């Protein structure tokens, strides 16, 4: 979009996903749900139209009004949403890049249904609310909403929409294309690592069997986080975690939500518990990094951003949070002066062994990946990475199709 066209857009429609070129380019190579949220008459349909005009053939809008669903405070989710979800799933199966859900979205039960679908089809989620001056003014909204809802009707819905809906965690969520690039790099790393003599000498950390030919690391890491590959910034537990509200209200966080970034991958690492990518944050990205994220113990003093990573896989019984803890162990060893044992060059980088099954590949050429800063709103349970093909690759089975 030209700078002139962006200037002509009213303030109520100023969003990174409409005006920022990097964000738009990232979303075009991603799979994203835009969940529009707000009272009837607040401007959601106008925002939905603006998104559709911006992404054109790569966008589909699902508006609750087209399914004759009237906004109201309800005891349960109306059965009419079954048809909404049929259409939503159909668009997901077709890998539509941008899907806009135009509804009040004031009920947690309904949102949970949407989050489950997002997880299943690996869509990232962005909440968007109209910025119109009257968005919470029930006296004005009673004349603007098409349902002829009274001010009293609107006031009943208002409390659930006044409080910001916080995610399980904030972070950068990779585009579909960048996810594929990183997964392939991770797969190559695991294949080469499992074939090395030096690795097989230390095989006791990964298997009790005698590795005569190769250790199949792609079968060792059997779980992955749900949804889209991501780099977590802050775990907020839907607002219940310590510091969650303060983090969400930071100016940098609010300004960056729904915005595109380019992350730099400087290394890939393997431990007995996890496999991950090391992320090197820029000064701008460090503004979104919590001050307490880089500590395993209260006495730790490590550079800001040390924990920044992307989890690619976990061993059986291991949770994804372990990946960041594993990376901090590498950083602590590096800070203490240990550079590890240099094993040699593999897959475009220098391989180092730090003992106890800890392997770090420092890339000679960093991998740039595109991502959107947003939140994860689902249940967060790890899912299997094994596919039904003969190889059962932890990474090929995770590739976002």
């Amino acid at each position: 979009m030209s700078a002139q066209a962006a200037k002509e857009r009213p303030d109520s429609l100023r969003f990174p996903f409409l005006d920022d070129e990097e964000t738009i380019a990232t979303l075009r190579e991603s799979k994203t749900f835009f969940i529009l949220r707000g009272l009837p008459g607040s401007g959601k349909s106008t925002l939905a139209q603006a998104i559709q005009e911006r992404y054109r053939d790569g966008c589909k809008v699902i508006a609750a009004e087209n399914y004759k669903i009237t906004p109201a405070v309800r005891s349960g989710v109306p059965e009419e949403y079954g048809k909404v979800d049929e259409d939503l799933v159909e668009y997901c199966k077709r890998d539509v890049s941008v899907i806009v859900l135009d509804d009040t979205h004031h009920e947690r039960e309904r949102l949970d249904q949407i989050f489950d679908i997002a997880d299943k089809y690996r869509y990232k989620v962005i909440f968007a609310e109209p910025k119109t001056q009257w968005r919470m003014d029930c006296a004005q909204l009673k004349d603007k909403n098409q349902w002829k809802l009274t001010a009293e009707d609107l006031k009943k819905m208002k409390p659930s929409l006044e409080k910001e809906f916080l995610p399980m965690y904030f972070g950068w969520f990779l585009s579909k294309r960048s996810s594929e690039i990183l997964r392939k790099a991770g797969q190559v790393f695991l294949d080469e690592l499992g074939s090395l003599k030096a690795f097989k000498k230390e095989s006791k950390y990964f298997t009790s069997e005698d590795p005569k030919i190769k250790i199949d690391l792609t079968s060792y890491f059997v779980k992955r986080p749900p949804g889209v590959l991501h780099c977590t910034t802050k775990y907020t537990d839907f607002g219940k975690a310590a510091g969650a509200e303060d983090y969400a209200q930071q100016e940098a966080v609010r300004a960056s939500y729904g915005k595109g970034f380019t992350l730099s991958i400087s290394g890939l690492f393997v431990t007995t518990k996890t496999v991950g990518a090391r992320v090197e944050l820029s000064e701008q990205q460090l503004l979104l990094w919590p001050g307490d994220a880089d500590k395993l113990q209260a006495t730790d003093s490590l550079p800001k951003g040390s924990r920044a990573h992307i989890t690619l896989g976990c061993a059986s019984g291991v949770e994804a949070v372990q990946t960041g803890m594993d990376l901090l162990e590498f950083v602590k060893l590096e800070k203490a002066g240990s550079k590890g044992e240099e094993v040699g060059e593999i897959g475009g980088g220098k391989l180092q062994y730090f003992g106890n099954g800890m392997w770090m590949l420092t890339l000679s050429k960093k991998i740039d990946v595109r991502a959107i800063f947003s939140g994860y709103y689902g249940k967060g349970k790890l899912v299997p990475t094994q596919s039904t093909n003969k190889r059962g690759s932890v990474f090929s089975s995770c590739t976002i199709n």
Side-chain angles (χ1 to χ4, degrees), residues 33 35 37 77 81 85 88-89 101 103 105-121 123 125 127 165-168 237-238 240 376-380:
F33 284 177
I35 299 180
R37 196 165 181 256
V77 178
Y81 279 108
D85 289 348
L88 176 58
V89 166
L101 295 161
D103 196 1
H105 293 119
H106 61 286
E107 299 157 305
R108 178 59 192 262
E109 186 180 353
R110 172 58 190 154
L111 288 170
D112 281 342
Q113 293 174 342
I114 297 170
F115 301 149
D116 285 346
I117 295 172
D119 269 1
K120 183 174 181 180
Y121 294 96
Y123 274 74
V125 169
F127 273 98
F165 192 94
L166 296 186
M168 177 180 283
D237 194 17
F238 307 106
K240 293 179 285 193
Y376 173 75
Y377 299 87
K379 296 183 176 67

Side-chain angles (χ1 to χ4, degrees), residues 114-398:
I114 297 170
F115 301 149
D116 285 346
I117 295 172
D119 269 1
K120 183 174 181 180
Y121 294 96
R122 294 181 198 157
Y123 274 74
K124 61 175 67 71
V125 169
I126 296 175
F127 273 98
E129 300 183 15
K131 296 179 180 179
T132 51
Q133 294 180 345
W134 61 85
R135 63 187 178 275
M136 284 294 178
D137 187 340
C138 295
Q140 289 193 64
L141 289 171
K142 71 179 175 60
D143 299 321
K144 290 181 178 290
N145 80 86
Q146 63 170 309
W147 305 99
K148 296 184 170 55
L149 297 176
T150 66
E152 288 305 312
D153 292 331
L154 294 163
K155 284 177 183 176
K156 290 176 184 175
M157 280 185 277
K158 189 175 177 180
S160 60
L161 290 166
E162 284 179 315
K163 189 172 176 61
E164 187 175 358
F165 192 94
L166 296 186
M168 177 180 283
Y169 50 80
F170 285 95
W172 291 282
F173 295 79
L174 272 60
S175 73
K176 175 186 172 185
R177 184 171 180 275
S178 288
S179 294
E180 290 169 350
I181 290 169
L182 185 54
R183 289 192 197 281
K184 285 176 184 175
Q187 180 68 66
V188 169
F189 173 46
L190 289 189
D191 284 346
E192 293 192 356
L193 184 62
S195 301
L196 287 179
K197 277 186 182 179
F199 186 80
K200 284 185 274 189
K201 281 182 182 177
E202 299 294 315
S203 64
K204 62 185 178 184
Y205 293 104
F206 294 87
T207 178
S208 57
E209 299 175 8
D210 181 20
K212 291 180 178 168
I213 304 174
K214 169 180 179 178
I215 298 173
D216 185 9
L217 289 173
T218 59
S219 296
Y220 182 84
F221 296 107
V222 295
K223 295 281 186 178
R224 66 166 176 84
V228 180
L229 279 184
H230 65 276
C231 174
T232 301
T233 57
K234 173 71 175 176
Y235 177 74
T236 48
D237 194 17
F238 307 106
K240 293 179 285 193
E245 295 279 354
D246 289 342
Y247 178 81
Q249 293 304 317
Q250 287 179 19
E251 184 179 346
V253 172
R254 296 182 70 83
S256 299
Y257 185 84
K259 190 173 187 299
F261 290 81
T262 299
L263 300 182
S264 182
I265 309 299
S266 63
L268 300 169
F269 61 91
V270 160
T271 72
T272 58
K273 297 177 180 178
T274 64
V275 53
R278 188 174 191 172
V279 179
E280 193 173 287
L281 299 177
S282 67
E283 286 187 24
Q284 181 192 20
Q285 291 157 4
L286 283 170
L287 295 175
L288 299 168
W289 195 255
D292 61 351
D294 305 303
K295 292 178 182 287
L296 283 174
Q297 297 163 343
T299 55
D300 286 345
S301 179
L302 301 173
K304 190 174 184 182
S306 292
R307 192 176 188 146
H309 69 279
I310 296 168
T311 298
L312 298 176
C314 298
S316 179
V318 177
E319 294 298 318
V321 68
Q322 184 66 43
T323 317
M325 296 165 68
D326 285 354
L327 178 54
L328 287 181
E329 291 291 356
F330 281 105
V331 177
K332 287 176 75 173
L333 288 169
E334 290 170 348
K335 189 183 178 187
S338 172
K339 294 183 179 179
E341 175 191 343
E342 287 197 16
V343 179
E345 300 270 342
I346 68 163
K350 184 186 294 182
L351 182 65
Q352 295 159 295
Y353 182 50
F354 287 81
N356 299 312
M358 297 173 64
W359 301 81
M360 174 69 75
L361 176 67
T362 301
L363 298 170
S364 54
K365 183 180 179 183
K366 293 170 186 174
I367 301 172
D368 287 340
V369 293
R370 281 178 162 172
I372 297 290
F373 183 74
S374 183
Y376 173 75
Y377 299 87
K379 296 183 176 67
K381 294 180 180 176
L382 291 174
V383 295
T385 55
Q386 295 296 327
S387 65
T388 55
N389 61 34
K390 288 182 181 178
R391 188 177 185 192
S393 165
V394 64
F395 290 96
S396 62
S397 64
C398 292

